[in-house]
Amino acid sequence: MAFEKDLNLDATELRLGLPGTSDESAKNQTPATLRSNNKRALPEESMSSNATASKNCDQETAPLPKAQVVGWPPIRSYRKNNLQPKKSEGEISGIYVKVSMDGAPYLRKIDLKVFKGYPELLKALEDMFKFKAGEYSEREGYNGSEFVPTYEDKDGDWMLVGDVPWEMFTNSCKKLRIMKGSEARGLGCVV
Amino acid sequence: MQKKTAYSFPEEILEHVFSFILSDKDRNAASVVCKSWYEIERWCRRKIFVGNCYAVSPTMVIRRFPDIRSIELKGKPHFADFNLVPDGWGGYVLPWISKMAGAYPWLEEIRLKRMVVTDESLELVAKSFTNLQVLVLFSCEGFSTDGLAAIAASCKNLRELDLRDSEVDDLSGHWLNHFPDTYTSLVSLNISCLGSDDVSFSALERLVGRCPNLRRLLLNREVPLDKIANLLSRAPQLIEFGTGTYAAELRSDVYSNLAEAFCNCKELKSLSGFWDAVPAYLPVIYSVCSRLTSLNLSYAPIQNPDLTKLVSQCPSLQRMLVLDYIEDSGLEVLASSCKDLQELRVFPSDPFGEEPNVSLTEKGLVAVSSGCPKLQSVLYFCRQMSNAALVTIAQNCPNFTRFRLCLLDPKIADYRTLQPLDVGFGAIVEHCKDLRRLSLSGLLTDCVFEYIGMHAKKLEMLSVAFAGESDLALHHVLSGCESLRKLEIMNCPFGDKALLANAAKLETMRSLWMSSCSVSLGACKMLGQKMPRLNIEVMDEKGPPDSRAESDPVDKLYIYRSVAGPRFDMPPFVWTMDEDFASELS
């Protein structure tokens, strides 16, 4: 091992980072991209990632937040919501909204934060409630479908899902309702 | 000679005797003595507790007990509190209300826990039960302030309205206005769960002002601190009070008004609320502290030394709920000041943080166990534990009835010896012979379950997560715990063997929940076939079980005994493994 120092492998070693920076400072950059809000990770997966996270943790790296297992720790939602948010607000909490569908007596809840955009959200809704939303166009809303996804915004207005930019939607959506097509006419008719 | 037997007692006398028998267990025992006792008893039973709303149907209840005045129903399994039960699972109260509306017009008390209550149900309650006095909706959901308005408008004899921990859709704050001006019977009001638009403050003030028998008032978070004094001055007879947000800029007039208002509440014994509490306003309650038997600071971000100082002023405390800001040092003070303490709950202020943010360890709990001889009920969240500490705690408190320990890192070992915590929990069950409820956590092998099966003979409810190594663990519990009623398990390597070997045991219990374990679909189907009086419900959001192999583990399993047969209100992601299901697919 002493040879390495003599050979000054550091200088020749290929690695990430600017020349002149050491490994230590590269490690200190919090791996923000590795933080994941994988609340719904399968328990086996999250347990093994817990194990690796604690093993790989050395003194310099910011420890990876433990993948959250649904149901653990056993604290009720209203208590979790009440806690003082620490450094990273909004990282732990999702945007949970209720989803109902006309004719189905069962409500679901989804976390809007796990979706990157409308296509993913619509696919998830279609899978959840077993319906097809049809083609969306700005002018005509959802074409060729019996059911239409709508949402109630902060002002209490019912809008067509997809009418506003995604960020605006996740910030203002209070609840989702998959309406019967006949009832949805008149919504989102802009032009 | 005419033979006279005890059975020739006139019915009226038996009925009178039965009226002194209040516990369900005793009533049930009396009802099976003979047919005539059964008949007399069923006509005069007034109070019913249904621990699982799917264990029996409303029709069956009404058929047997024609004149009920008080009913308590529970719906979803306990793990629903921790988001393990998806929305839409069930627990609807409407079928019960609909049937009871016709059968029990004189119903006085309705208590519901973890049920889905719609506005339609509440409107039906308001319409059907003119004599309703008590409505408790504990951890319920599905209704809005419209439903509450219907109750307020119609229930002239309402004494108690308690919405604890329920999820209410906020529509308008004016539901309180629906209590007529002539309504003055309110004794207990808990609206602590309501949101911002849900309460019109002036209506609340008027209501409080005209109800001289109001003894319990738990406000919601949005009621500002500067309104409390006025409210309290209208109700100095309060015994239990929950504040709203306990934070405001320090102003001497607000401060002195509050202090005076609290001082005038000579019967105040219980305080809660304290959302966002700031230390500056804590001293206003000092005049009440010496009398307090119950204090809930679990929403208060108050830290030491203010927190400990407050606690040290409450020598009469029997019940204490607090965040882990209290730290070991504060718990030591609690232990030396509060010799009447019976119940302690310490919640985590930063449950998802990697590093401990406070100095709360096993030492705090050891101190309380040592200093408080009447301690019976514990819920304690912390980050480290040792077998030695648990043994000490067990020896100090042989009278524990409820012990729930939650180590935030689910599989953490004894921090001193790196051993599993089997011995520690073993000591708890061995010493605490009256233990009725136990929650385990930390690194645990099959050993702890052997201890539990051997010693926990009075245990009624057991909660397990990330524990055990094999089916033997589950077998120990199912075969050894004679009084077991509820067993809930998550993320444990328990499979089919123990379950199938102890199938009969399941009929003696209220329910079994297993999620993220290794019970196979085939085993569930077999149980469904063999045990007609059990409902075997498999929950899987990935798709119908018939699309998967018999050996595939099910995601969530809920088994409960029932005389009502399988239910029909299941959502698309729940399948019941009854005889029909099994034979369809074989």
Side-chain angles (χ1 to χ4, degrees):
Chain A
M1 283 296 154
F3 299 119
E4 286 181 326
K5 280 201 174 147
D6 296 343
L7 292 171
N8 198 9
L9 278 176
D10 269 329
T12 56
E13 194 187 300
L14 287 174
R15 52 180 174 78
L16 293 172
L18 295 172
T21 57
S22 66
D23 272 337
E24 271 72 49
S25 54
K27 278 181 197 166
N28 268 337
Q29 287 153 32
T30 310
T33 47
L34 290 171
R35 282 174 183 260
S36 54
N37 186 16
N38 48 339
K39 263 183 144 174
R40 308 220 184 266
L42 288 175
E44 297 84 49
E45 284 173 24
S46 53
M47 282 319 296
S48 53
S49 65
N50 274 352
T52 44
S54 26
K55 275 187 217 151
N56 294 341
C57 239
D58 66 77
Q59 296 294 11
E60 277 98 11
T61 48
L64 294 173
K66 290 198 169 131
Q68 290 178 37
V69 178
V70 179
W72 194 265
I75 304 174
R76 307 199 44 194
S77 331
Y78 64 79
R79 282 199 183 277
K80 279 194 253 193
N81 294 338
N82 181 63
L83 298 169
Q84 301 289 42
K86 289 228 85 174
K87 333 128 206 184
S88 39
E89 238 191 80
E91 286 241 348
I92 306 289
S93 58
I95 304 176
Y96 285 92
V97 295
K98 288 191 179 172
V99 190
S100 62
M101 179 157 107
D102 288 353
Y106 313 113
L107 275 185
R108 302 302 298 274
K109 249 195 206 143
I110 56 169
D111 179 2
L112 293 180
K113 277 195 120 178
V114 311
F115 303 110
K116 297 197 192 62
Y118 286 118
E120 278 192 23
L121 170 65
L122 288 170
K123 175 91 182 29
L125 290 176
E126 285 176 338
D127 286 344
M128 217 183 259
F129 289 96
K130 313 270 181 286
F131 74 102
K132 283 274 171 242
E135 286 292 309
Y136 173 78
S137 71
E138 246 193 74
R139 201 105 52 81
E140 296 172 352
Y142 289 87
N143 239 337
S145 65
E146 204 194 327
F147 288 101
V148 169
T150 66
Y151 72 99
E152 185 182 8
D153 71 2
K154 280 195 176 131
D155 301 321
D157 297 322
W158 284 95
M159 316 267 283
L160 213 55
V161 168
D163 277 350
V164 304
W166 176 253
E167 285 290 338
M168 197 186 293
F169 165 71
T170 56
N171 283 332
S172 61
C173 173
K174 270 175 56 174
K175 59 168 94 140
L176 283 161
R177 180 179 153 199
I178 300 168
M179 274 189 202
K180 281 223 162 66
S182 46
E183 278 195 52
R185 262 173 228 129
L187 281 181
C189 282
V190 188
V191 181
Chain B
M1 192 163 76
Q2 277 207 329
K3 199 166 158 198
K4 288 227 158 127
T5 70
Y7 297 89
S8 62
F9 254 35
E11 280 188 18
E12 297 79 29
I13 297 198
L14 270 175
E15 207 178 297
H16 184 68
V17 171
F18 285 163
S19 70
F20 294 101
I21 303 176
L22 298 170
S23 101
D24 285 338
K25 271 182 77 178
D26 293 340
R27 281 235 163 208
N28 291 344
S31 70
V32 295
V33 165
C34 64
K35 283 191 186 147
S36 66
W37 279 38
Y38 178 91
E39 279 301 307
I40 296 165
E41 194 282 318
R42 77 184 189 90
W43 277 96
C44 67
R45 189 170 318 201
R46 298 283 171 259
K47 199 169 168 159
I48 282 279
F49 170 78
V50 181
N52 173 5
C53 64
Y54 291 119
V56 67
S57 74
T59 307
M60 286 168 156
V61 173
I62 292 168
R63 194 164 57 215
R64 179 167 173 193
F65 300 112
D67 194 3
I68 293 294
R69 306 291 166 92
S70 166
I71 187 160
E72 183 173 349
L73 291 169
K74 294 189 181 179
K76 299 185 206 173
H78 172 242
F79 272 174
D81 285 356
F82 315 128
N83 300 325
L84 282 167
V85 177
D87 263 9
W89 174 84
Y92 305 102
V93 80
L94 187 59
W96 286 85
I97 304 291
S98 307
K99 289 265 156 59
M100 292 193 303
Y104 299 146
W106 305 118
L107 194 63
E108 294 170 2
E109 303 182 352
I110 298 175
R111 293 181 173 84
L112 307 174
K113 186 170 183 180
R114 279 188 216 103
M115 293 198 76
V116 177
V117 180
T118 55
D119 284 345
E120 189 187 347
S121 309
L122 289 177
E123 279 151 23
L124 191 53
V125 165
K127 204 170 64 170
S128 319
F129 307 119
T130 52
N131 207 26
L132 192 70
Q133 294 169 29
V134 172
L135 181 61
V136 177
L137 304 175
F138 188 170
S139 296
C140 295
E141 52 155 353
F143 61 102
S144 77
T145 45
D146 283 355
L148 295 178
I151 298 287
S154 309
C155 299
K156 299 180 177 45
N157 294 311
L158 196 68
R159 285 180 295 129
E160 183 177 336
L161 178 62
D162 190 334
L163 306 175
R164 55 188 289 207
D165 302 345
S166 289
E167 233 179 85
V168 185
D169 277 341
D170 43 353
L171 290 184
S172 104
H174 302 294
W175 67 275
L176 273 176
N177 286 322
H178 289 253
F179 280 110
D181 290 334
T182 47
Y183 171 75
T184 58
S185 4
L186 199 59
V187 174
S188 169
L189 180 66
N190 178 358
I191 50 173
S192 52
C193 62
L194 293 184
S196 49
D197 294 328
D198 295 347
V199 177
S200 146
F201 190 74
S202 52
L204 178 62
E205 267 188 329
R206 286 195 307 274
L207 181 63
V208 169
R210 66 177 186 271
C211 293
N213 298 321
L214 190 65
R215 296 298 205 165
R216 184 169 176 260
L217 178 63
L218 304 186
L219 301 172
N220 58 331
R221 189 174 187 168
E222 275 66 30
V223 176
L225 192 53
D226 56 6
K227 302 266 202 201
I228 302 272
N230 219 338
L231 211 51
L232 280 178
S233 63
R234 290 171 198 235
Q237 74 281 4
L238 282 178
I239 297 177
E240 193 176 335
F241 181 63
T243 75
T245 297
Y246 205 75
E249 258 179 49
L250 188 53
R251 279 171 43 195
S252 57
D253 55 337
V254 173
Y255 186 99
S256 55
N257 287 342
L258 263 175
E260 192 183 333
F262 273 109
C263 193
N264 288 333
C265 293
K266 302 290 184 202
E267 300 187 65
L268 205 50
K269 290 245 172 66
S270 168
L271 283 177
S272 58
F274 296 108
W275 281 283
D276 314 310
V278 292
Y281 278 104
L282 285 182
V284 305
I285 64 169
Y286 282 179
S287 59
V288 183
C289 282
S290 58
R291 264 183 271 122
L292 282 182
T293 56
S294 171
L295 182 57
N296 183 351
L297 293 168
S298 62
Y299 301 112
I302 305 270
Q303 306 196 24
N304 289 332
D306 302 296
L307 182 52
T308 299
K309 176 154 188 232
L310 177 59
V311 163
S312 67
Q313 315 229 359
C314 306
S316 313
L317 274 186
Q318 293 170 17
R319 189 166 179 261
M320 174 91 214
L321 279 68
V322 72
L323 286 172
D324 56 9
Y325 291 131
I326 188 111
E327 297 192 314
D328 291 337
S329 57
L331 288 176
E332 276 154 32
V333 171
L334 182 72
S336 60
S337 316
C338 306
K339 296 305 182 184
D340 286 338
L341 194 70
Q342 292 171 24
E343 180 178 350
L344 174 68
R345 297 193 191 200
V346 180
F347 295 97
S349 54
D350 186 19
F352 301 110
E354 282 297 310
E355 300 300 318
N357 60 327
V358 291
S359 177
L360 180 97
T361 67
E362 82 284 6
K363 298 185 185 57
L365 186 56
V366 172
V368 179
S369 75
S370 166
C372 303
K374 301 187 190 169
L375 192 64
Q376 272 185 11
S377 172
V378 168
L379 171 59
Y380 199 75
F381 285 82
C382 65
R383 287 191 152 89
Q384 70 182 40
M385 188 50 62
S386 69
N387 283 309
L390 280 171
V391 170
T392 304
I393 291 165
Q395 289 169 339
N396 287 339
C397 294
N399 296 325
F400 272 161
T401 51
R402 291 188 281 271
F403 187 74
R404 292 190 280 165
L405 177 66
C406 178
L407 294 164
L408 290 169
D409 185 348
K411 278 184 161 186
I412 196 167
D414 177 326
Y415 77 100
R416 284 166 46 171
T417 64
L418 300 181
Q419 293 296 303
L421 290 169
D422 298 333
V423 165
F425 279 105
I428 294 279
V429 292
E430 192 181 339
H431 290 272
C432 307
K433 306 219 185 293
D434 292 326
L435 197 68
R436 293 195 314 258
R437 186 168 178 186
L438 177 65
S439 296
L440 305 172
S441 62
L443 183 64
L444 296 163
T445 71
D446 286 350
C447 280
V448 70
F449 295 97
E450 192 179 345
Y451 299 144
I452 292 173
M454 207 185 317
H455 294 289
K457 296 304 180 187
K458 298 247 180 91
L459 193 67
E460 296 177 6
M461 183 169 176
L462 179 64
S463 309
V464 184
F466 301 101
E469 302 155 303
S470 76
D471 270 45
L472 202 50
L474 182 55
H475 175 70
H476 284 310
V477 171
L478 289 176
S479 59
C481 296
E482 293 161 5
S483 312
L484 197 64
R485 293 191 295 118
K486 289 179 281 184
L487 179 57
E488 46 184 27
I489 301 172
M490 58 179 270
N491 299 73
C492 294
F494 302 153
D496 301 339
K497 292 203 214 75
L499 207 54
L500 292 173
N502 292 282
K505 170 75 174 173
L506 299 175
E507 269 190 22
T508 69
M509 293 164 52
R510 183 189 296 173
S511 64
L512 167 65
W513 168 281
M514 291 178 78
S515 55
S516 304
C517 297
S518 314
V519 180
S520 74
L521 179 62
C524 294
K525 288 204 262 185
M526 197 181 311
L527 271 176
Q529 264 183 319
K530 272 177 39 176
M531 314 288 300
R533 285 185 303 193
L534 290 179
N535 280 356
I536 316 287
E537 292 185 9
V538 165
M539 236 176 287
D540 211 316
E541 302 191 68
K542 291 194 288 273
D546 51 2
S547 60
R548 288 200 299 283
E550 296 277 297
S551 54
D552 271 1
V554 300
D555 184 27
K556 293 175 180 152
L557 174 60
Y558 186 51
I559 299 177
Y560 57 91
R561 66 179 176 187
S562 175
V563 293
R567 59 186 179 113
F568 297 108
D569 61 357
M570 290 174 301
F573 52 85
V574 177
W575 290 270
T576 193
M577 307 277 119
D578 61 6
E579 301 152 310
D580 299 331
F581 183 97
S583 58
E584 260 171 61
L585 307 159
S586 54

